[in-house]
Short mmCIF file of all heavy atoms in Angstrom, two decimals:
data_model
loop_
_atom_site.label_atom_id
_atom_site.label_comp_id
_atom_site.label_asym_id
_atom_site.label_seq_id
_atom_site.Cartn_x
_atom_site.Cartn_y
_atom_site.Cartn_z
N MET D 13 24.21 -25.81 3.79
CA MET D 13 24.57 -25.07 2.57
C MET D 13 25.16 -23.71 2.96
O MET D 13 24.69 -23.04 3.89
CB MET D 13 23.29 -24.86 1.76
CG MET D 13 23.59 -24.35 0.35
SD MET D 13 22.17 -23.47 -0.33
CE MET D 13 22.99 -22.44 -1.54
N LYS D 14 26.20 -23.31 2.22
CA LYS D 14 26.82 -22.01 2.50
C LYS D 14 25.91 -20.89 2.03
O LYS D 14 25.28 -20.98 0.98
CB LYS D 14 28.14 -21.89 1.71
CG LYS D 14 29.21 -22.80 2.22
CD LYS D 14 30.59 -22.35 1.80
CE LYS D 14 30.82 -22.37 0.30
NZ LYS D 14 32.20 -22.02 -0.08
N LYS D 15 25.87 -19.81 2.80
CA LYS D 15 25.08 -18.66 2.40
C LYS D 15 25.92 -17.40 2.50
O LYS D 15 26.71 -17.26 3.44
CB LYS D 15 23.87 -18.51 3.35
CG LYS D 15 22.86 -19.60 3.16
CD LYS D 15 21.66 -19.39 4.06
CE LYS D 15 20.64 -20.49 3.77
NZ LYS D 15 19.50 -20.43 4.67
N PRO D 16 25.74 -16.47 1.56
CA PRO D 16 26.50 -15.23 1.64
C PRO D 16 25.85 -14.28 2.67
O PRO D 16 24.62 -14.27 2.80
CB PRO D 16 26.37 -14.65 0.22
CG PRO D 16 25.09 -15.19 -0.29
CD PRO D 16 24.88 -16.55 0.37
N ILE D 17 26.68 -13.57 3.39
CA ILE D 17 26.15 -12.52 4.27
C ILE D 17 26.91 -11.21 3.97
O ILE D 17 28.07 -11.24 3.56
CB ILE D 17 26.32 -12.89 5.75
CG1 ILE D 17 27.74 -13.31 6.09
CG2 ILE D 17 25.33 -13.97 6.14
CD1 ILE D 17 28.01 -13.42 7.59
N VAL D 18 26.24 -10.11 4.18
CA VAL D 18 26.85 -8.79 3.95
C VAL D 18 27.05 -8.09 5.29
O VAL D 18 26.13 -8.02 6.09
CB VAL D 18 25.95 -7.91 3.05
CG1 VAL D 18 26.51 -6.51 2.95
CG2 VAL D 18 25.84 -8.52 1.66
N ASP D 19 28.25 -7.62 5.50
CA ASP D 19 28.56 -6.79 6.68
C ASP D 19 28.22 -5.34 6.27
O ASP D 19 28.95 -4.70 5.55
CB ASP D 19 30.02 -6.94 7.04
CG ASP D 19 30.39 -6.13 8.28
OD1 ASP D 19 29.64 -5.19 8.62
OD2 ASP D 19 31.42 -6.45 8.91
N LYS D 20 27.11 -4.85 6.77
CA LYS D 20 26.66 -3.53 6.37
C LYS D 20 27.55 -2.39 6.89
O LYS D 20 27.52 -1.29 6.39
CB LYS D 20 25.21 -3.28 6.80
CG LYS D 20 24.24 -4.21 6.06
CD LYS D 20 22.82 -3.71 6.11
CE LYS D 20 21.93 -4.74 5.44
NZ LYS D 20 20.64 -4.21 5.05
N GLU D 21 28.32 -2.71 7.93
CA GLU D 21 29.30 -1.72 8.43
C GLU D 21 30.37 -1.48 7.37
O GLU D 21 30.87 -0.39 7.22
CB GLU D 21 29.95 -2.23 9.72
CG GLU D 21 28.99 -2.49 10.86
CD GLU D 21 28.50 -1.20 11.49
OE1 GLU D 21 29.34 -0.31 11.73
OE2 GLU D 21 27.28 -1.07 11.70
N LYS D 22 30.74 -2.58 6.69
CA LYS D 22 31.82 -2.47 5.69
C LYS D 22 31.32 -2.05 4.32
O LYS D 22 32.05 -1.42 3.54
CB LYS D 22 32.53 -3.83 5.55
CG LYS D 22 33.39 -4.22 6.71
CD LYS D 22 34.14 -5.48 6.34
CE LYS D 22 35.02 -6.00 7.45
NZ LYS D 22 35.56 -7.33 7.15
N CYS D 23 30.08 -2.39 4.00
CA CYS D 23 29.55 -2.15 2.67
C CYS D 23 29.54 -0.65 2.35
O CYS D 23 29.08 0.17 3.13
CB CYS D 23 28.11 -2.70 2.57
SG CYS D 23 27.30 -2.30 1.01
N GLN D 24 30.08 -0.35 1.14
CA GLN D 24 30.14 1.04 0.70
C GLN D 24 29.13 1.33 -0.40
O GLN D 24 29.14 2.41 -1.00
CB GLN D 24 31.55 1.35 0.16
CG GLN D 24 32.68 1.04 1.11
CD GLN D 24 32.72 2.01 2.28
OE1 GLN D 24 32.45 3.18 2.13
NE2 GLN D 24 33.03 1.49 3.47
N GLY D 25 28.30 0.36 -0.71
CA GLY D 25 27.27 0.56 -1.73
C GLY D 25 27.80 0.63 -3.15
O GLY D 25 27.22 1.27 -4.01
N HIS D 26 28.92 -0.04 -3.40
CA HIS D 26 29.50 0.00 -4.76
C HIS D 26 28.67 -0.75 -5.77
O HIS D 26 28.84 -0.56 -6.97
CB HIS D 26 30.90 -0.60 -4.75
CG HIS D 26 31.90 0.16 -3.96
ND1 HIS D 26 32.27 1.44 -4.27
CD2 HIS D 26 32.57 -0.17 -2.84
CE1 HIS D 26 33.17 1.85 -3.37
NE2 HIS D 26 33.38 0.91 -2.50
N MET D 27 27.84 -1.65 -5.29
CA MET D 27 26.90 -2.39 -6.13
C MET D 27 27.54 -3.41 -7.07
O MET D 27 26.91 -3.87 -8.01
CB MET D 27 26.01 -1.43 -6.96
CG MET D 27 24.98 -0.75 -6.12
SD MET D 27 23.85 0.28 -7.05
CE MET D 27 22.99 -0.92 -8.05
N VAL D 28 28.79 -3.73 -6.85
CA VAL D 28 29.39 -4.79 -7.65
C VAL D 28 28.62 -6.08 -7.49
O VAL D 28 28.32 -6.79 -8.45
CB VAL D 28 30.87 -5.02 -7.26
CG1 VAL D 28 31.47 -6.18 -8.02
CG2 VAL D 28 31.69 -3.74 -7.48
N CYS D 29 28.27 -6.37 -6.26
CA CYS D 29 27.56 -7.61 -5.97
C CYS D 29 26.20 -7.69 -6.70
O CYS D 29 25.83 -8.74 -7.22
CB CYS D 29 27.33 -7.75 -4.48
SG CYS D 29 26.49 -6.33 -3.70
N VAL D 30 25.52 -6.55 -6.75
CA VAL D 30 24.21 -6.52 -7.43
C VAL D 30 24.40 -6.75 -8.94
O VAL D 30 23.60 -7.42 -9.56
CB VAL D 30 23.50 -5.17 -7.19
CG1 VAL D 30 22.17 -5.10 -7.90
CG2 VAL D 30 23.33 -4.95 -5.68
N GLY D 31 25.49 -6.22 -9.47
CA GLY D 31 25.78 -6.42 -10.88
C GLY D 31 26.08 -7.87 -11.22
O GLY D 31 25.67 -8.39 -12.26
N VAL D 32 26.81 -8.53 -10.31
CA VAL D 32 27.22 -9.92 -10.55
C VAL D 32 26.05 -10.87 -10.30
O VAL D 32 25.82 -11.83 -11.02
CB VAL D 32 28.43 -10.29 -9.67
CG1 VAL D 32 28.73 -11.77 -9.77
CG2 VAL D 32 29.65 -9.44 -10.01
N ALA D 33 25.31 -10.64 -9.20
CA ALA D 33 24.26 -11.58 -8.81
C ALA D 33 23.01 -10.83 -8.35
O ALA D 33 22.70 -10.74 -7.17
CB ALA D 33 24.77 -12.48 -7.68
N PRO D 34 22.28 -10.24 -9.33
CA PRO D 34 21.11 -9.41 -8.97
C PRO D 34 19.97 -10.18 -8.30
O PRO D 34 19.15 -9.55 -7.63
CB PRO D 34 20.65 -8.84 -10.35
CG PRO D 34 21.25 -9.75 -11.38
CD PRO D 34 22.52 -10.29 -10.77
N GLU D 35 19.96 -11.48 -8.45
CA GLU D 35 18.92 -12.28 -7.79
C GLU D 35 19.23 -12.45 -6.29
O GLU D 35 18.35 -12.70 -5.49
CB GLU D 35 18.84 -13.69 -8.40
CG GLU D 35 18.63 -13.72 -9.89
CD GLU D 35 17.25 -13.23 -10.31
OE1 GLU D 35 16.30 -13.59 -9.61
OE2 GLU D 35 17.16 -12.46 -11.27
N VAL D 36 20.50 -12.29 -5.95
CA VAL D 36 20.93 -12.55 -4.57
C VAL D 36 20.98 -11.27 -3.74
O VAL D 36 20.54 -11.26 -2.59
CB VAL D 36 22.32 -13.22 -4.57
CG1 VAL D 36 22.81 -13.48 -3.14
CG2 VAL D 36 22.29 -14.54 -5.35
N PHE D 37 21.54 -10.22 -4.34
CA PHE D 37 21.79 -8.99 -3.59
C PHE D 37 20.91 -7.84 -4.08
O PHE D 37 20.68 -7.69 -5.28
CB PHE D 37 23.27 -8.54 -3.75
CG PHE D 37 24.26 -9.57 -3.31
CD1 PHE D 37 24.85 -10.42 -4.23
CD2 PHE D 37 24.62 -9.71 -1.98
CE1 PHE D 37 25.80 -11.39 -3.85
CE2 PHE D 37 25.54 -10.67 -1.59
CZ PHE D 37 26.13 -11.49 -2.50
N GLU D 38 20.44 -7.04 -3.15
CA GLU D 38 19.71 -5.80 -3.47
C GLU D 38 20.22 -4.72 -2.56
O GLU D 38 20.70 -4.97 -1.46
CB GLU D 38 18.22 -5.98 -3.25
CG GLU D 38 17.49 -6.48 -4.47
CD GLU D 38 15.99 -6.65 -4.24
OE1 GLU D 38 15.45 -6.05 -3.32
OE2 GLU D 38 15.39 -7.43 -5.00
N ILE D 39 20.10 -3.47 -3.04
CA ILE D 39 20.49 -2.33 -2.23
C ILE D 39 19.33 -1.89 -1.38
O ILE D 39 18.22 -1.68 -1.90
CB ILE D 39 20.99 -1.15 -3.13
CG1 ILE D 39 22.22 -1.59 -3.95
CG2 ILE D 39 21.32 0.08 -2.29
CD1 ILE D 39 23.43 -2.00 -3.17
N ASP D 40 19.52 -1.77 -0.07
CA ASP D 40 18.43 -1.40 0.81
C ASP D 40 18.22 0.13 0.83
O ASP D 40 18.93 0.86 0.11
CB ASP D 40 18.65 -1.98 2.21
CG ASP D 40 19.77 -1.29 2.97
OD1 ASP D 40 20.25 -0.24 2.55
OD2 ASP D 40 20.14 -1.82 4.04
N GLU D 41 17.30 0.59 1.64
CA GLU D 41 16.97 2.03 1.62
C GLU D 41 18.12 2.90 2.14
O GLU D 41 18.10 4.11 1.94
CB GLU D 41 15.68 2.27 2.43
CG GLU D 41 15.80 1.96 3.94
CD GLU D 41 15.61 0.47 4.27
OE1 GLU D 41 15.52 -0.35 3.35
OE2 GLU D 41 15.57 0.15 5.46
N ASN D 42 19.11 2.27 2.78
CA ASN D 42 20.26 3.03 3.26
C ASN D 42 21.44 2.96 2.31
O ASN D 42 22.55 3.40 2.65
CB ASN D 42 20.68 2.53 4.65
CG ASN D 42 19.60 2.73 5.68
OD1 ASN D 42 19.01 3.80 5.77
ND2 ASN D 42 19.30 1.69 6.44
N GLY D 43 21.22 2.39 1.14
CA GLY D 43 22.28 2.32 0.15
C GLY D 43 23.28 1.19 0.43
O GLY D 43 24.38 1.17 -0.12
N LYS D 44 22.89 0.26 1.28
CA LYS D 44 23.75 -0.88 1.62
C LYS D 44 23.17 -2.13 0.97
O LYS D 44 21.96 -2.27 0.87
CB LYS D 44 23.82 -1.06 3.12
CG LYS D 44 24.22 0.16 3.90
CD LYS D 44 25.71 0.40 3.82
CE LYS D 44 26.09 1.55 4.76
NZ LYS D 44 27.53 1.74 4.81
N SER D 45 24.08 -3.03 0.62
CA SER D 45 23.64 -4.30 0.05
C SER D 45 23.04 -5.20 1.10
O SER D 45 23.46 -5.24 2.26
CB SER D 45 24.83 -4.99 -0.60
OG SER D 45 24.47 -6.28 -1.04
N GLU D 46 22.03 -5.95 0.70
CA GLU D 46 21.52 -7.01 1.58
C GLU D 46 21.22 -8.24 0.75
O GLU D 46 20.98 -8.15 -0.45
CB GLU D 46 20.30 -6.54 2.35
CG GLU D 46 19.09 -6.28 1.50
CD GLU D 46 17.92 -5.74 2.32
OE1 GLU D 46 18.08 -5.54 3.53
OE2 GLU D 46 16.86 -5.51 1.73
N VAL D 47 21.29 -9.39 1.40
CA VAL D 47 21.01 -10.64 0.73
C VAL D 47 19.51 -10.89 0.73
O VAL D 47 18.90 -10.97 1.79
CB VAL D 47 21.74 -11.81 1.43
CG1 VAL D 47 21.36 -13.16 0.80
CG2 VAL D 47 23.26 -11.61 1.37
N VAL D 48 18.91 -10.93 -0.43
CA VAL D 48 17.46 -11.15 -0.52
C VAL D 48 17.14 -12.60 -0.87
O VAL D 48 16.08 -13.09 -0.54
CB VAL D 48 16.78 -10.20 -1.55
CG1 VAL D 48 16.79 -8.79 -1.01
CG2 VAL D 48 17.45 -10.28 -2.91
N ASN D 49 18.06 -13.26 -1.54
CA ASN D 49 17.84 -14.68 -1.85
C ASN D 49 19.18 -15.40 -1.92
O ASN D 49 19.86 -15.34 -2.95
CB ASN D 49 17.10 -14.83 -3.18
CG ASN D 49 16.86 -16.29 -3.55
OD1 ASN D 49 17.12 -17.18 -2.76
ND2 ASN D 49 16.40 -16.50 -4.76
N PRO D 50 19.60 -16.05 -0.83
CA PRO D 50 20.91 -16.69 -0.81
C PRO D 50 21.08 -17.80 -1.84
O PRO D 50 22.19 -18.21 -2.15
CB PRO D 50 21.02 -17.23 0.62
CG PRO D 50 19.68 -17.16 1.22
CD PRO D 50 18.87 -16.19 0.41
N GLU D 51 19.95 -18.27 -2.37
CA GLU D 51 20.04 -19.36 -3.38
C GLU D 51 19.74 -18.84 -4.77
O GLU D 51 19.41 -19.61 -5.68
CB GLU D 51 19.05 -20.48 -2.98
CG GLU D 51 19.51 -21.19 -1.72
CD GLU D 51 18.45 -22.06 -1.10
OE1 GLU D 51 17.47 -22.38 -1.78
OE2 GLU D 51 18.59 -22.39 0.07
N GLY D 52 19.85 -17.53 -4.95
CA GLY D 52 19.51 -16.92 -6.24
C GLY D 52 20.58 -17.05 -7.30
O GLY D 52 20.38 -16.67 -8.44
N ALA D 53 21.73 -17.60 -6.93
CA ALA D 53 22.82 -17.82 -7.90
C ALA D 53 23.65 -18.99 -7.40
O ALA D 53 23.61 -19.34 -6.21
CB ALA D 53 23.69 -16.56 -8.04
N ASP D 54 24.44 -19.57 -8.30
CA ASP D 54 25.28 -20.68 -7.85
C ASP D 54 26.49 -20.16 -7.07
O ASP D 54 26.77 -18.95 -7.07
CB ASP D 54 25.70 -21.57 -9.04
CG ASP D 54 26.46 -20.81 -10.10
OD1 ASP D 54 27.11 -19.81 -9.78
OD2 ASP D 54 26.39 -21.22 -11.28
N GLU D 55 27.16 -21.08 -6.40
CA GLU D 55 28.25 -20.68 -5.52
C GLU D 55 29.35 -19.93 -6.26
O GLU D 55 29.97 -18.99 -5.73
CB GLU D 55 28.87 -21.93 -4.87
CG GLU D 55 28.28 -22.26 -3.52
CD GLU D 55 29.03 -23.37 -2.81
OE1 GLU D 55 30.28 -23.45 -2.89
OE2 GLU D 55 28.33 -24.18 -2.19
N GLU D 56 29.62 -20.36 -7.49
CA GLU D 56 30.71 -19.74 -8.27
C GLU D 56 30.39 -18.27 -8.52
O GLU D 56 31.26 -17.38 -8.43
CB GLU D 56 30.83 -20.50 -9.59
CG GLU D 56 32.11 -20.26 -10.30
CD GLU D 56 32.18 -21.10 -11.60
OE1 GLU D 56 31.75 -22.26 -11.58
OE2 GLU D 56 32.63 -20.55 -12.59
N THR D 57 29.12 -17.98 -8.86
CA THR D 57 28.70 -16.64 -9.14
C THR D 57 28.77 -15.77 -7.87
O THR D 57 29.28 -14.64 -7.88
CB THR D 57 27.26 -16.60 -9.68
OG1 THR D 57 27.22 -17.40 -10.86
CG2 THR D 57 26.82 -15.19 -10.04
N ILE D 58 28.29 -16.32 -6.77
CA ILE D 58 28.37 -15.59 -5.51
C ILE D 58 29.81 -15.34 -5.11
O ILE D 58 30.16 -14.26 -4.61
CB ILE D 58 27.60 -16.35 -4.40
CG1 ILE D 58 26.08 -16.38 -4.75
CG2 ILE D 58 27.82 -15.70 -3.05
CD1 ILE D 58 25.24 -17.25 -3.85
N GLN D 59 30.68 -16.34 -5.38
CA GLN D 59 32.09 -16.14 -5.08
C GLN D 59 32.66 -14.97 -5.89
O GLN D 59 33.50 -14.22 -5.41
CB GLN D 59 32.88 -17.44 -5.36
CG GLN D 59 34.36 -17.38 -4.92
CD GLN D 59 34.52 -17.17 -3.44
OE1 GLN D 59 33.92 -17.87 -2.62
NE2 GLN D 59 35.31 -16.18 -3.03
N GLN D 60 32.20 -14.83 -7.13
CA GLN D 60 32.64 -13.69 -7.95
C GLN D 60 32.25 -12.38 -7.32
O GLN D 60 33.01 -11.40 -7.34
CB GLN D 60 32.03 -13.78 -9.34
CG GLN D 60 32.72 -14.73 -10.29
CD GLN D 60 32.02 -14.79 -11.65
OE1 GLN D 60 31.34 -13.85 -12.04
NE2 GLN D 60 32.14 -15.90 -12.33
N ALA D 61 31.05 -12.34 -6.74
CA ALA D 61 30.59 -11.12 -6.06
C ALA D 61 31.45 -10.86 -4.82
O ALA D 61 31.83 -9.71 -4.56
CB ALA D 61 29.12 -11.28 -5.66
N ILE D 62 31.78 -11.93 -4.08
CA ILE D 62 32.62 -11.78 -2.91
C ILE D 62 33.99 -11.26 -3.32
O ILE D 62 34.52 -10.31 -2.70
CB ILE D 62 32.76 -13.15 -2.18
CG1 ILE D 62 31.42 -13.53 -1.56
CG2 ILE D 62 33.88 -13.11 -1.14
CD1 ILE D 62 31.37 -14.91 -0.95
N ASP D 63 34.58 -11.86 -4.34
CA ASP D 63 35.89 -11.44 -4.79
C ASP D 63 35.89 -10.04 -5.38
O ASP D 63 36.89 -9.31 -5.31
CB ASP D 63 36.42 -12.44 -5.86
CG ASP D 63 36.68 -13.83 -5.27
OD1 ASP D 63 36.77 -13.95 -4.04
OD2 ASP D 63 36.76 -14.78 -6.07
N GLY D 64 34.75 -9.65 -5.97
CA GLY D 64 34.69 -8.35 -6.64
C GLY D 64 34.34 -7.19 -5.71
O GLY D 64 34.53 -6.03 -6.08
N CYS D 65 33.86 -7.48 -4.53
CA CYS D 65 33.44 -6.40 -3.62
C CYS D 65 34.65 -5.61 -3.15
O CYS D 65 35.54 -6.16 -2.49
CB CYS D 65 32.72 -6.98 -2.41
SG CYS D 65 32.35 -5.75 -1.16
N PRO D 66 34.72 -4.33 -3.49
CA PRO D 66 35.90 -3.52 -3.14
C PRO D 66 36.04 -3.33 -1.62
O PRO D 66 37.15 -3.06 -1.13
CB PRO D 66 35.65 -2.17 -3.79
CG PRO D 66 34.51 -2.38 -4.72
CD PRO D 66 33.73 -3.54 -4.22
N ALA D 67 34.96 -3.49 -0.89
CA ALA D 67 34.99 -3.28 0.56
C ALA D 67 35.19 -4.56 1.33
O ALA D 67 35.26 -4.56 2.57
CB ALA D 67 33.71 -2.58 0.99
N GLU D 68 35.28 -5.68 0.60
CA GLU D 68 35.38 -7.00 1.26
C GLU D 68 34.29 -7.19 2.30
O GLU D 68 34.54 -7.66 3.42
CB GLU D 68 36.78 -7.21 1.85
CG GLU D 68 37.84 -7.20 0.78
CD GLU D 68 39.24 -7.53 1.30
OE1 GLU D 68 39.39 -7.81 2.49
OE2 GLU D 68 40.17 -7.51 0.47
N ALA D 69 33.08 -6.80 1.93
CA ALA D 69 31.96 -6.80 2.88
C ALA D 69 31.14 -8.09 2.85
O ALA D 69 30.30 -8.30 3.71
CB ALA D 69 31.05 -5.61 2.60
N ILE D 70 31.41 -8.94 1.85
CA ILE D 70 30.61 -10.16 1.73
C ILE D 70 31.43 -11.37 2.14
O ILE D 70 32.62 -11.45 1.81
CB ILE D 70 30.13 -10.37 0.26
CG1 ILE D 70 29.58 -9.08 -0.35
CG2 ILE D 70 29.08 -11.50 0.20
CD1 ILE D 70 29.36 -9.15 -1.84
N SER D 71 30.82 -12.25 2.90
CA SER D 71 31.53 -13.48 3.27
C SER D 71 30.53 -14.63 3.28
O SER D 71 29.34 -14.44 3.18
CB SER D 71 32.19 -13.30 4.64
OG SER D 71 31.22 -12.92 5.61
N TRP D 72 31.07 -15.81 3.44
CA TRP D 72 30.24 -17.02 3.50
C TRP D 72 29.93 -17.32 4.95
O TRP D 72 30.76 -17.21 5.84
CB TRP D 72 30.97 -18.23 2.93
CG TRP D 72 31.13 -18.25 1.47
CD1 TRP D 72 32.28 -18.12 0.77
CD2 TRP D 72 30.11 -18.45 0.48
NE1 TRP D 72 32.04 -18.21 -0.59
CE2 TRP D 72 30.73 -18.42 -0.80
CE3 TRP D 72 28.72 -18.63 0.54
CZ2 TRP D 72 30.01 -18.55 -1.98
CZ3 TRP D 72 28.03 -18.78 -0.65
CH2 TRP D 72 28.65 -18.75 -1.88
N LYS D 73 28.70 -17.73 5.16
CA LYS D 73 28.30 -18.25 6.47
C LYS D 73 27.97 -19.72 6.25
O LYS D 73 27.08 -20.02 5.40
CB LYS D 73 27.08 -17.47 6.95
CG LYS D 73 26.62 -17.86 8.32
CD LYS D 73 25.52 -16.89 8.75
CE LYS D 73 25.19 -17.04 10.22
NZ LYS D 73 24.11 -17.89 10.55
N GLU D 74 28.63 -20.58 6.94
CA GLU D 74 28.41 -22.03 6.74
C GLU D 74 27.07 -22.46 7.34
O GLU D 74 26.68 -21.97 8.36
CB GLU D 74 29.51 -22.84 7.44
CG GLU D 74 30.92 -22.52 6.87
CD GLU D 74 31.14 -23.10 5.47
OE1 GLU D 74 30.47 -24.07 5.10
OE2 GLU D 74 31.98 -22.57 4.74
S1 SF4 Y 104 29.94 -4.91 -3.76
FE1 SF4 Y 104 30.40 -4.83 -1.57
S2 SF4 Y 104 30.44 -2.67 -1.07
FE2 SF4 Y 104 29.39 -2.90 -3.02
S3 SF4 Y 104 27.21 -3.01 -2.49
FE3 SF4 Y 104 28.01 -5.11 -2.63
S4 SF4 Y 104 28.61 -5.60 -0.52
FE4 SF4 Y 104 28.41 -3.40 -0.64
#
């Protein structure tokens, strides 16, 4: 199953991903997004988060 991963080097903390899929992404103590539950939303929703991230920090890991 595909899982989203966040590149914390690229993440700017815009929180678009958290807005789109709050079950999947959370902001950590450094203001960066992290994946807390890769199965917290369907693929289409996660893809919206990927497409919406201004920093292009989210990608799929097969
Ligand atoms: S939308 Fe992108 S830049 Fe913003 S918090 Fe999520 S991963 Fe980071």
